[in-house]
């Protein structure tokens, strides 16, 4: 009996040895090395990198190839104060694009604010006919109707698509700012945009419209300049980032900053942190979509096997440790297609600006912020409950919150707040909170819609009927 | 005017130069290097690594220091068939601990199943007095009452706390299996545990109890051996992993496998992928807790500044790109304290096994699985609707789903399904689905409770009153 067992073991061990001679394969890991080889090959074949059209000696990061012919550039050549930095930015540039025609009275302009990683290319233009990130929402008869309005969209300050950001050359050293770039606030980004509006001679916006981070910016624009913003639309935004959202963006920054290629931000003359960017985008994608959509779209289905797979093998398919479920290949693809398109430092700075965004009164006071327009600014200091009660002795006072007190400067502006029920990054509770705070602040012209559907945070990019219809109706 | 501007710029540039001479600091990035130095130092000072008490020449991975004196070991020395592998495991070992006393009839045993990364140390024992992962739930008068029951908990097959897994030596090469280890199924893990029960002479369990992955195992145990499991408790588990849960575990595996130290799994004679493990744990922590808890516990508060910070500086505090919000420092700490405690390959294999878990009928049929016990197994093939209708001509047939058909073997077992409303990893909808499927399968003895609270998936570790009370009442 023992000898039969020993014989069996010998046979078994031969199997194991056979297995040992074939090292396990990990195409998902080899992909990082393969990408690196492709980037290195492009260094020798491509012309030298010129971030923002300025000369540089390093190799070309393939993620930043802005085409200066496809957008307009606003140059601000005097120092620009920043909220969190003792030193102002010596100067800055903003890339922007426009659609429609500015009326002779310059009273039909809509400033459109982007999400984290978008460029100024919201829709196709004669000089750049490729579709923009809000292509279906901008044009004649669309949500932002170019027959009626003049739409302006900028690449945000801190971005990498033509506007000044960490990849821009610092003027003294003539090397990219990298992480010497100052930490930005959403309010800084909006102030930079108002310098562009000054330059265009636009005294008052017909409306400020934005989604995701742009929804934050849209609120900030109306708050900073109550008399210069006619209407405010905030889609899938928030008035203060929640710890959950901070956690999810922190996870992205962590994987990015742990990539040795990131090199504390100084990678512009070397390989970019493409692996960290891929991993960060995979995490981001999880927060942009929703479980119900994936359940419908992918379920538990597996990727199709390559044609050369031996289908005659018996037993269940051997699972791979690399992507095997369709949901995994989807995330892998999203990361792969983004990782060389965007500057890693821009991602870090802009996602940090989103985390820092907080419109509650104590937070605004700590930043020393106040709206630009004196008449409304004077009403910014919260009225005492006694004074309020004296005015309307029989009315029940609406309870004020730190947020409603902070949003007081928006109390006269017609506003639309739109949220998506399946959004896990900016959940509807946060946007209901903005709506309630605006009402408590005395705003009688604020509308709130909650959209159904399964698209999560990305609803604002997909739901042309729901989002577009609400925006069009409101404007 | 121009010369005054030029003078201003000169002063400004001096500021910028001063700034440039101080390179930006990133303690959160330096931490990875510091950790690596500590590990390398431990290699020279500590005795050689002996995974599962077997000799090895490599340096000691500090995450795997099982103390064989603190648990019992079951040795299975004959080949063990696996669901996804053509080759059986030549042999395996399971580490286990017990609490209470086995009755003379051996009819009071409860098999307790762990979550992904837990050891067999569910509660303190004389040989290991440190608190276990379910310390508050096990003991005299507690949820698992040791005055009444004999509790058995194993380190799962594939784990790294004494049981056979990727860090165990492969018998032929006498080197760790690493990623030559076969892909595991939850059903394999449970079958290994039943071999231990056979060895202990336990024919029938009083109950099978588990939470998280253990909730899956508990269902699998009752399904595989309907006549050997008296009752089933599944807490914060599921009967089929959703694409969302797969996505979140995929993100963790991705960051881990991208760590160069992971080296396709062959790191046992070198530095472990400690950075990848930290990043993976940070992501996991996001899925284990919930937004409402963080809102209460951390809100938007910042970490306290070090004592040497100049508080006299004017203006708002300059934000850091490294952890600054308390929620960030919390995630950082969770990652840091875990990254050397657990084997990276165990994490990959066990999280993959969770992804693969699916108790719908088509999935079970594809694996060729059937319950062990003939009487109930024969009722496994779904009865035709006509046959059902013939039995009760006036009853409205309950609509069957792929899951209710799959769960048929559990139709006679008294069961308790517990979920947490704030769980985003195993959301209550999934557990309601299990409950409904069991009822549709004809189970008249299944209870379902949904727990409130803000602890998310980790409710099963924290809510002694809610979870413990329900379990005790059911048993």
């Amino acid at each position: 009996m023992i000898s039969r067992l020993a014989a069996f073991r010998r046979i078994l061990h031969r199997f194991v040895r056979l297995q040992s001679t074939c090292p396990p394969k990990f195409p998902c890991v080899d992909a990082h090395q393969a990408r690196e080889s492709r980037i290195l090959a492009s260094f020798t074949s491509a012309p030298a990198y010129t971030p923002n059209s300025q000369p540089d000696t390093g190799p070309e990061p393939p993620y930043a190839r802005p085409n200066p012919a496809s957008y307009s550039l606003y140059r601000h050549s005097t120092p620009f104060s920043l909220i969190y930095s003792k030193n102002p930015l010596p100067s800055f540039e903003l890339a922007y694009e426009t659609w429609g025609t500015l009326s002779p009275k310059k009273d039909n302009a809509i400033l459109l604010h982007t999400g984290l990683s978008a460029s100024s290319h919201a829709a196709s233009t004669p000089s750049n006919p490729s579709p923009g990130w809000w292509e279906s929402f901008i044009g004649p008869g669309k949500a932002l109707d170019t027959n009626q309005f003049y739409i302006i969209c900028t690449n945000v300050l801190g971005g990498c698509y033509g506007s000044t950001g960490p990849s821009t050359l610092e003027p003294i050293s003539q090397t990219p700012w990298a992480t010497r770039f100052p930490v930005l606030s959403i309010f800084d980004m909006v102030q930079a945009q108002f310098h562009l509006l000054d330059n265009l001679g636009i005294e008052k916006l017909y409306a400020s419209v934005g989604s995701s981070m742009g929804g934050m910016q849209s609120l900030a624009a109306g708050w900073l300049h109550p008399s210069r913003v006619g209407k405010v639309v905030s889609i899938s935004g928030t008035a203060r980032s929640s710890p959950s959202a901070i956690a999810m963006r922190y996870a992205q920054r962590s994987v990015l900053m742990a990539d040795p290629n990131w090199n504390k931000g100084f990678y512009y003359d070397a390989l970019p942190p493409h692996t960290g960017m891929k991993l960060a985008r995979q995490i981001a994608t999880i927060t942009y979509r929703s479980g119900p959509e994936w359940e419908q779209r992918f379920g538990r289905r597996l990727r199709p096997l390559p044609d050369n797979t031996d289908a005659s093998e018996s037993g269940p398919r051997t699972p791979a440790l690399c992507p095997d479920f369709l949901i995994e290949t989807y995330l892998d693809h999203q990361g792969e297609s983004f990782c060389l398109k965007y500057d890693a430092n821009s991602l870090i700075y802009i996602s940090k600006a989103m985390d820092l965004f907080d419109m509650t009164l104590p937070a605004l006071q700590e930043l020393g912020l106040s709206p630009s327009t004196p008449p409304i600014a004077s009403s910014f200091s919260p009225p005492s409950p006694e004074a309020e009660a004296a005015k309307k002795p029989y009315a029940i006072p609406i309870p004020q919150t730190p947020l409603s007190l902070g949003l007081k400067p928006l109390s006269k502006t017609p506003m639309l707040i739109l949220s998506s029920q399946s959004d896990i990054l900016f959940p509807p509770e946060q946007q209901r909170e903005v709506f309630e705070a605006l009402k408590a602040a005395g705003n009688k012209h604020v509308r709130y819609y909650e959209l159904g559907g399964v698209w999560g945070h990305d609803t604002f990019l997909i739901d042309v009927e729901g989002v577009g219809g609400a925006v069009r109706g409101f404007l």
Side-chain angles (χ1 to χ4, degrees), chain A:
Chain A
M1 180 63 196
I2 287 172
S3 71
R4 276 172 79 185
L5 190 64
F8 177 82
R9 279 199 187 165
R10 256 200 306 280
I11 294 166
L12 180 75
H13 283 184
R14 239 175 254 161
F15 265 116
V16 174
R17 194 173 293 131
L18 193 66
Q19 219 182 12
S20 309
T21 54
C22 308
K25 285 179 191 160
F26 291 99
C28 57
V29 176
D30 295 334
H32 302 311
Q33 189 53 52
R35 197 186 315 117
E36 193 137 315
S37 304
R38 282 199 306 277
I39 301 168
L40 286 169
S42 78
F43 284 173
T44 51
S45 63
Y49 171 48
T50 54
N52 301 333
S53 317
Q54 298 190 61
D56 184 34
T57 53
E60 180 193 38
Y63 49 83
R65 283 185 189 134
N67 173 11
S70 71
Y71 52 77
S72 306
L73 204 60
Y74 163 65
R75 290 194 173 83
H76 187 87
S77 50
T78 55
F80 176 64
S81 293
L82 299 169
I83 286 175
Y84 292 113
S85 174
K86 273 172 295 209
N87 304 314
L89 261 186
S91 64
F92 73 83
E93 295 182 339
L94 277 192
Y96 69 98
E97 293 174 57
T98 67
W99 300 263
T101 311
L102 190 59
S103 64
K105 286 185 176 175
K106 300 192 173 188
D107 61 357
N108 69 333
I110 291 178
L111 181 60
L112 174 63
H113 306 273
T114 73
L116 197 165
S117 60
S119 71
S120 59
H121 196 59
S124 49
T125 60
S127 61
N128 183 358
S130 62
W133 58 265
W134 233 31
E135 188 72 24
S136 312
F137 296 78
I138 300 171
K142 294 186 179 172
L144 301 187
D145 189 345
T146 48
N147 289 334
Q148 192 180 351
F149 300 116
Y150 179 66
I151 325 293
I152 308 162
C153 183
T154 79
N155 180 220
V156 87
L157 186 69
C160 62
Y161 292 125
S163 293
T164 295
S167 60
T168 312
L169 298 191
E170 185 273 312
I172 306 290
S173 64
Q174 287 293 307
T175 57
W177 277 97
T179 45
R180 295 173 304 170
F181 199 74
V183 171
L184 293 177
S185 154
I186 296 286
F187 293 100
D188 295 328
M189 299 172 178
V190 171
Q191 292 293 41
Q193 290 170 321
F194 273 81
H195 282 293
L196 162 66
L197 296 180
D198 290 343
N199 183 262
L200 296 174
I202 296 167
E203 174 49 34
K204 183 170 177 175
L205 288 171
Y206 182 83
S208 167
V209 176
S211 35
S212 189
M213 180 179 77
M216 297 175 168
Q217 290 178 280
S218 199
L219 294 176
W223 189 95
L224 284 168
H225 304 285
S227 65
R228 295 187 67 179
V229 179
K231 298 180 175 195
V232 164
V233 177
S234 176
I235 307 163
S236 305
T238 181
R240 58 175 192 110
S241 286
S242 68
S244 296
I246 295 173
M248 294 193 263
R249 284 189 288 265
Y250 167 68
Q252 295 167 51
R253 288 194 297 270
S254 294
V255 298
L256 180 46
M257 290 163 73
D259 184 331
N261 283 356
W262 182 63
N263 191 33
K264 298 188 177 181
F266 292 83
Y267 52 80
Y268 293 102
D269 56 355
L271 280 166
H274 54 96
T275 300
M277 282 295 275
K278 175 174 177 175
L279 299 170
R281 187 63 170 191
Q282 290 187 164
I283 299 169
T285 304
I286 294 176
T287 70
Y288 292 159
R289 293 296 174 107
S290 84
E293 188 212 357
W294 290 341
E295 191 68 52
Q296 287 175 20
R297 191 166 160 198
F298 306 119
R300 292 184 43 85
R301 291 202 305 285
L302 300 174
R303 79 189 152 91
L305 286 176
D307 286 342
N308 58 1
T309 310
D310 185 3
S312 66
E313 285 182 18
S314 65
R317 170 173 165 179
T318 306
L321 297 179
C322 274
D324 211 11
F325 286 101
L326 281 186
I327 176 66
E328 294 177 300
T329 60
Y330 166 77
L331 293 176
D332 183 84
H333 174 76
Q334 292 295 318
E336 194 71 42
S337 59
F338 180 77
C339 68
L340 292 173
K341 268 194 198 157
Y342 196 71
D343 178 44
N345 284 336
S346 282
L347 181 69
I348 292 171
Y349 276 85
I350 300 177
S351 84
K352 188 77 195 182
M354 293 172 76
D355 290 0
L356 293 168
F357 190 62
D358 185 354
M359 296 186 82
T360 59
L361 185 61
L364 294 164
Q365 285 174 332
E366 202 189 317
L367 298 184
L369 274 173
S370 61
S372 65
T373 327
I376 299 194
S378 68
S379 76
F380 175 52
S381 54
S384 72
E386 294 77 18
E388 287 284 274
K391 272 193 288 182
K392 301 179 199 168
Y394 304 113
I396 299 164
I398 299 174
Q400 296 294 313
T401 62
L403 188 59
S404 69
L405 296 172
L407 295 181
K408 210 83 188 170
L410 284 165
S411 60
K412 307 263 185 265
T413 312
M415 295 179 70
L416 171 66
I417 311 292
L418 264 185
S419 77
S420 158
Q421 288 171 340
S422 52
D423 191 339
I424 56 168
L425 190 58
F426 294 80
E429 303 89 71
Q430 283 214 305
Q431 295 165 78
R432 251 177 261 139
E433 184 193 37
V434 176
F435 172 62
E436 298 296 342
L438 285 165
K439 281 201 300 183
N443 193 319
K444 292 181 172 58
H445 309 284
V446 54
R447 286 188 216 170
Y448 175 66
Y449 297 132
E450 221 162 85
L451 294 163
V454 295
W455 297 295
H457 184 60
D458 275 356
T459 297
F460 76 88
L461 293 172
I462 300 167
D463 188 1
V464 180
E465 211 168 295
V467 174
V471 170
R472 199 175 173 192
F474 172 74
L475 292 176

